[in-house]
Amino acid sequence: MTTAFFPGFLLGLSLIMAIGAQNAFVLRQGLRQEHVFLVCLTCALSDALLIMAGVAGFGLAVAALPWLEPALRYGGAAFLFVYAARSLRSALRRNHDSLKPSAQATAGRWATLAACLAFTWLNPHVYLDTVVLLGSVSSQYDGHKTGFALGAICASFTFFYTLGYGARLLRPLFANPRAWQVLDAFVAAAMFGIGLKLVL
């Protein structure tokens, strides 16, 4: 099992480390220290479910539903465009309390959970990475697929909790409202770019 666990862990980690909408959201929650455990757990458990589905062979089922990919793609793009507009509006504000972590009103648990689920499940790349790619690679470890899947799942838990709770190390930097403006501008650009890529 260990011979399959480590390749699964390394491949899962390499796929998840790319900067994307979900990671930017986790980083932002970590900086604000808002519902960090819930956000990290939601992302990691979602990955775990998708990885298990891929290893179980559901990638073929997804490929057999031609309407699913465009529905996810356009739905995800619309969500990203809305979030990009919100981030851009926040970045353009000056001397606004929302830019200061200490003065920021904490978002509700359910609103945060809904946003986290949207960033996760409306992103077609998540399905490609977990269900399709990890699912197909796991076929090389016939008889040890469980170990491969556990490795990839552990990579997700490790990454999300490290990102979420490690973000607090950057809080001194983000005590400056200008840093929040820069982050919001970066998030807006990243979200818009990813959404545009999905549409095109």
Side-chain angles (χ1 to χ4, degrees):
M1 180 176 287
T2 55
T3 57
F5 178 90
F6 289 109
F9 183 91
L10 293 175
L11 180 58
L13 193 61
S14 66
L15 291 174
I16 204 171
M17 286 181 67
I19 296 297
Q22 186 187 49
N23 293 348
F25 180 75
V26 174
L27 175 63
R28 186 178 182 85
Q29 293 301 119
L31 286 168
R32 293 186 183 278
Q33 295 186 341
E34 291 181 0
H35 311 298
V36 180
F37 183 83
L38 175 65
V39 167
C40 295
L41 182 64
T42 301
C43 292
L45 285 179
S46 296
D47 264 14
L49 289 174
L50 290 168
I51 290 168
M52 288 188 292
V55 171
F58 279 85
L60 297 175
V62 172
L65 300 173
W67 57 267
L68 185 60
E69 190 275 334
L72 290 170
R73 182 155 49 95
Y74 290 114
F79 175 78
L80 290 174
F81 287 144
V82 171
Y83 197 88
R86 290 181 57 191
S87 296
L88 181 61
R89 183 180 62 183
S90 180
L92 295 176
R93 290 180 181 172
R94 294 182 178 178
N95 300 324
H96 195 283
D97 287 342
S98 67
L99 298 175
K100 300 177 182 179
S102 59
Q104 170 68 25
T106 302
R109 179 179 301 173
W110 294 112
T112 301
L113 178 61
C116 185
L117 289 172
F119 278 119
T120 302
W121 293 90
L122 290 179
N123 182 3
H125 294 294
V126 171
Y127 296 91
L128 291 175
D129 289 345
T130 56
V131 178
V132 178
L133 183 56
L134 286 173
S136 62
V137 173
S138 70
S139 64
Q140 300 176 15
Y141 298 91
D142 193 27
H144 300 285
K145 286 185 177 182
T146 301
F148 182 86
L150 286 175
I153 290 169
C154 285
S156 291
F157 274 87
T158 300
F159 175 80
F160 283 121
Y161 277 98
T162 300
L163 179 62
Y165 284 100
R168 67 179 59 192
L169 299 176
L170 299 174
R171 281 182 65 83
L173 172 65
F174 284 89
N176 182 353
R178 179 69 65 182
W180 281 99
Q181 287 182 300
V182 172
L183 177 65
D184 281 328
F186 170 77
V187 169
M191 301 298 175
F192 182 80
I194 296 170
L196 191 62
K197 185 177 179 181
L198 290 177
V199 171
L200 299 179

